[in-house]
Amino acid sequence: MKRFRSVGSVSVALSLGALVASCWSFSAGSSGSIDSGSTGSSGGATGYGTGGSDSTDTGGSPGSGGASDTGGTNGDGGSVGSGGATGGTPGTGGSMGTGGAAGRAGTGTGGTPGTGGTSGKGGATGTGGTPATGGAPGTGGTPATGGAPGTGGTVAVTGPCDILASAGNSCVAAHSTVRALYGSYTGNLYQVCKGSFVTGPNSCKGTTMDIGVAAGGYANSAAQDTFCSGGSCTISIIYDQSPNGNHLRPGPGGGAVATSDNPVNATDLKTTLGGHEVYGVLIKTGTGYRAGCTGCGVATPKGTATGDAAETEYMVTSQNNLIDGCCFDYGNAETDSHDDGNGTMEAVYFGGGVVWGTGSPGGHDNGPWVEADLENGLYAGWENNQDQNISTNTPLKYNFVTAVVVGDVASQNSGKGRFALYGGDATTGTLKTMYDGIRPAKTGYAPMHKQGSIILGIGGDNSDSDGGEWFEGVMASGAATAATVNAVQANIVAAKYGK
């Protein structure tokens, strides 16, 4: 709003002019018209006096509207009052009202500024700006928080195979009965068989149901519970989530045990993963799985390491339900289910070492340790030219354990080869390097002679006197770095085993 002069001086001038005019009106009315001609303010006062001193009816009519010529001049003086109205606009205050009183002394027109005063009330419209507070509906934008359902997109979380692939160590086999191991995997995890079964790869003689992935990448255990209700179920297939299709089935007979293996009971190992109920695999004596071997459901392995090629393997297992027999393994083994000599296996093992190598402090009852089954020996490392009491390899007494074997090539360590072992609590923290050094200084281990079959819960020759808990396992190409396997460990921890 534009700022104008105050109306205070105008009203005082008008009042004084009125008093002077009333005195002069008794002596000479004509002199009022002269004053009117000289200055606007004096003229206004004299004009008032002229109107008052006139005793005739004509003089009275100028009061009504200044009909006479002289009164008309006074009308011009009244326009000064209109100027006061303009000045009244800044009258933030009701002082405009006072200006209105002066208008009453002049002409009715002067009263108009009073109306102008009401414009001041119009300022109250500013208060009406409170509708801006009505902008509070913007707060109603909080429904954007409702975008949280996007979290539901956790179905596509990153899996360990995604981490390995990004590091150049693509999964060639990926098995689990509890979760997807690729963020984008939406296929089946395993098959359950309700009713009768036999040993070996084609074990199911009842009815089957594939258990797939539910929201968040967890196994759909509710489907298993419904299907198996009122009867008993075994696990007849553990599907390979990699594109290679290396599916695990109960193993055929082999060199150590001629009879084929039993499937595990599907409901023996119930646990939680990230608040979801899931079922692991409880290996007992006489049970075990295999892929890529003579007589297997998958006869020829695809993509797995052979010869001296480097590879990385891990499994999530436990200190619970371990049976220290041969051999609680997951990984690379012979394709004919026989012991074909040193270096024809490379699998991750967890336990007390049976009758072979041990970690610190030694003694087969002081584990369990993560070791490598390299055939004809379980190795916790190679130290002081022997395989016992490997000082860096300490026990892993946790309910959920991450156990890792990295098998490198013979050219490492000046032609002595290399393998590394990592282990830790699968629910927290990073992995410890249990061993990283040369291959056992025995014939056959540098270079290696891997064949590429895949075993779970048995030795390469179908030894099946062991036992333990198993939840997931991966075989990947190449020798992963410590940083990569620790990134996999972080992913396993984030899955929240037992929580």
Side-chain angles (χ1 to χ4, degrees):
M1 182 181 289
K2 285 181 68 177
R3 186 174 294 277
F4 297 94
R5 291 182 303 167
S6 168
V7 301
S9 59
V10 176
S11 62
V12 170
L14 290 172
S15 301
L16 290 173
L19 289 172
V20 173
S22 63
C23 293
W24 281 92
S25 65
F26 289 100
S27 56
S30 59
S31 60
S33 66
I34 293 169
D35 288 341
S36 173
S38 57
T39 65
S41 59
S42 303
T46 308
Y48 182 89
T50 304
S53 63
D54 197 340
S55 61
T56 68
D57 294 336
T58 306
S61 41
S64 307
S68 70
D69 290 342
T70 308
T73 309
N74 296 341
D76 292 338
S79 65
V80 176
S82 301
T86 311
T89 331
T92 348
S95 59
M96 276 298 298
T98 311
R104 204 181 63 201
T107 67
T109 310
T112 318
T115 312
T118 43
S119 301
K121 290 183 181 177
T125 309
T127 313
T130 50
T133 313
T139 312
T142 50
T145 311
T151 310
T154 50
V155 174
V157 296
T158 300
C161 283
D162 301 311
I163 295 168
L164 287 161
S166 67
N169 305 110
S170 297
C171 288
V172 296
H175 303 100
S176 177
T177 59
V178 299
R179 66 168 180 149
L181 301 177
Y182 294 84
S184 60
Y185 187 76
T186 56
N188 294 315
L189 300 181
Y190 60 103
Q191 181 188 87
V192 291
C193 169
K194 184 176 182 179
S196 62
F197 64 89
V198 295
T199 62
N202 300 307
S203 64
C204 187
K205 298 305 174 183
T207 56
T208 63
M209 180 180 189
D210 288 333
I211 305 302
V213 177
Y218 302 99
N220 187 5
S221 61
Q224 174 181 320
D225 290 340
T226 300
F227 177 74
C228 296
S229 177
S232 62
C233 278
T234 55
I235 296 179
S236 44
I237 302 174
I238 302 173
Y239 291 108
D240 179 11
Q241 298 177 32
S242 86
N244 292 327
N246 292 312
H247 308 313
L248 294 170
R249 299 172 184 262
V257 178
T259 56
S260 53
D261 301 314
N262 284 298
V264 302
N265 190 315
T267 58
D268 273 353
L269 188 54
K270 191 171 191 176
T271 187
T272 53
L273 190 66
H276 297 77
E277 290 187 343
V278 291
Y279 292 97
V281 173
L282 180 60
I283 297 292
K284 297 179 180 179
T285 299
T287 62
Y289 293 80
R290 198 173 197 126
C293 71
T294 304
C296 287
V298 178
T300 304
K302 183 178 179 182
T304 53
T306 57
D308 195 49
E311 68 179 343
T312 299
E313 306 166 330
Y314 85 80
M315 68 175 171
V316 176
T317 180
S318 174
Q319 68 169 340
N320 302 315
N321 291 307
L322 285 172
I323 299 173
D324 196 27
C326 185
C327 290
F328 184 54
D329 292 342
Y330 171 79
N332 198 316
E334 296 93 342
T335 56
D336 61 1
S337 301
H338 284 73
D339 179 348
D340 292 330
N342 293 1
T344 56
M345 283 185 66
E346 187 170 65
V348 54
Y349 162 87
F350 191 63
V354 195
V355 296
W356 293 286
T358 63
S360 176
H364 296 289
D365 295 329
N366 293 321
W369 303 281
V370 53
E371 303 186 33
D373 188 342
L374 305 178
E375 190 56 282
N376 295 324
L378 299 172
Y379 293 94
W382 186 258
E383 187 175 73
N384 301 321
N385 205 37
Q386 54 86 46
D387 61 5
Q388 298 293 312
N389 191 18
I390 304 303
S391 60
T392 55
N393 197 329
T394 53
L396 295 172
K397 297 183 178 182
Y398 305 113
N399 292 330
F400 297 95
V401 172
T402 304
V404 183
V405 169
V406 173
D408 215 333
V409 295
S411 59
Q412 296 288 333
N413 295 319
S414 302
K416 295 181 180 180
R418 170 182 176 260
F419 77 110
L421 305 171
Y422 303 90
D425 185 343
T427 68
T428 186
T430 58
L431 298 177
K432 178 186 174 184
T433 301
M434 298 300 183
Y435 175 80
D436 189 340
I438 65 171
R439 294 275 187 181
K442 298 179 180 180
T443 302
Y445 295 123
M448 294 285 285
H449 310 280
K450 306 167 196 174
Q451 297 184 17
S453 177
I454 305 170
I455 54 174
L456 168 61
I458 52 175
D461 57 1
N462 196 39
S463 300
D464 63 0
S465 61
D466 59 288
E469 298 182 0
W470 183 92
F471 303 96
E472 65 180 74
V474 155
M475 298 173 67
S477 61
T481 64
T484 298
V485 296
N486 266 304
V488 171
Q489 162 71 356
N491 181 273
I492 293 168
V493 170
K496 298 183 178 179
Y497 272 94
K499 300 178 181 178

